[in-house]
Structure formats: C-alpha cells, structure tokens
C-alpha cells in the first residue's frame, strides 16, 4: 500500500483523536510510518469483538450472582484473560484455577492464594470476596 492510500476513515479511533501506526511505501519505494485514523472494516470487526467480550462478562456476572461460579471467573473475563494466562499470573496450575471457579472451593481458599488472584486482577482481597454488583 502506498503512503497516500493509508485508510483515514472516521471510526472509533478518530472520535478519540487516536491514530494507529501503519507502514506504507513512500514516493521512493521505502517503507515509512504513516498515522491512520482508522479503517471501516477493522473498526467493525473490533466493535463486534468488544460486544462479544461484554456479553461474556455479563453472562459470567450473572453466573456469579446466581452462585454457579466464583468471582475469579468474573474478574478473569473482565480482564480479558483465559485460564492458562491467569494460571501463569498467579503461579497455580490450570487445573486448580479451574477448580477455584467453583464457589465451594473458592470459599475454602487460603489468604495467600486469594492474594495471588487479587494481585493478578489489580484489586484487594476484600473486593475479590465481596459480591459482584
């Protein structure tokens, strides 16, 4: 793509006065950095993926409120993590992290383990243990 062909659509990036860095060919045939205000197809895909994430967070929030899942599952979804990533952050095997999604198991966790989860989510243990609003 040439420098003058870099998309400059008025999407979500433009509304927030943010630019994305793209690389394009200049008039001498060399790659150069060019700011882009967005690209409609990319904006649509990004918005759709964010909506799906918000739906997953809402569904998980409802499951926590219903007592089907522990708050760990909610905060994991909220912070856009998956089980392997969360397990690596807290230093606990994936199998145990998955077990900690059960409210009964969550209620028996030691303070040290709860602190690991709270640190991974950037919250306090009290916030982790309090009901999700």
């Amino acid at each position: 793509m040439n420098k003058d062909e870099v998309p400059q659509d008025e999407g979500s990036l433009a509304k927030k006065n943010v630019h994305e860095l793209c690389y394009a060919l200049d008039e001498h045939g060399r790659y150069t950095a060019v700011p882009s205000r967005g690209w409609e197809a990319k904006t649509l895909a990004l918005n759709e993926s964010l909506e799906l994430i918000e739906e997953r967070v809402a569904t998980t929030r409802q499951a926590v409120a219903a007592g089907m899942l522990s708050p760990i599952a909610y905060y994991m979804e909220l912070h856009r993590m998956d089980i392997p990533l969360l397990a690596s952050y807290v230093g606990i095997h994936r199998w145990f992290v998955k077990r900690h999604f059960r409210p009964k198991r969550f209620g028996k966790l030691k303070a040290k383990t709860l602190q690991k989860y709270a640190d991974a989510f950037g919250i306090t243990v009290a916030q982790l243990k309090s009901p999700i609003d």
Side-chain angles (χ1 to χ4, degrees):
M1 170 179 350
N2 291 325
K3 188 176 177 179
D4 58 341
E5 297 171 345
V6 173
Q8 300 295 335
D9 293 339
E10 296 295 321
S12 58
L13 290 178
K15 291 176 187 172
K16 295 179 182 174
N17 199 23
V18 175
H19 291 85
E20 178 181 31
L21 186 62
C22 297
Y23 290 95
L25 295 173
D26 64 11
E27 56 276 353
H28 303 291
R30 294 177 291 198
Y31 281 100
T32 184
V34 181
S36 172
R37 298 190 81 192
W39 180 29
E40 184 180 8
K42 187 173 186 176
T43 301
L44 291 173
L46 182 60
N47 288 342
E48 186 175 331
S49 68
L50 290 174
E51 287 175 16
L52 290 173
I53 290 169
E54 291 302 320
E55 286 176 18
R56 285 177 51 176
V57 170
T59 301
T60 306
R61 170 182 256 158
Q62 291 171 348
V64 171
M68 297 167 53
L69 290 173
S70 77
I72 294 171
Y74 168 73
Y75 285 108
M76 183 186 80
E77 291 292 342
L78 185 66
H79 288 89
R80 295 178 173 99
M81 296 179 182
D82 59 5
I83 291 173
L85 181 63
L86 179 57
S88 69
Y89 281 177
V90 296
I92 299 172
H93 194 278
R94 291 183 258 189
W95 186 78
F96 287 109
V97 170
K98 201 169 181 179
R99 286 183 66 181
H100 296 163
F101 283 6
R102 297 182 195 159
K104 189 175 180 179
R105 294 277 181 197
F106 176 76
K108 296 178 181 179
L109 291 178
K110 295 180 182 177
K112 184 178 177 181
T113 304
L114 289 170
Q115 188 62 54
K116 287 181 182 183
Y117 282 114
D119 290 344
F121 299 134
I123 60 175
T124 65
V125 172
Q127 289 172 307
L128 181 63
K129 292 175 82 175
S130 67
I132 308 289
D133 295 331

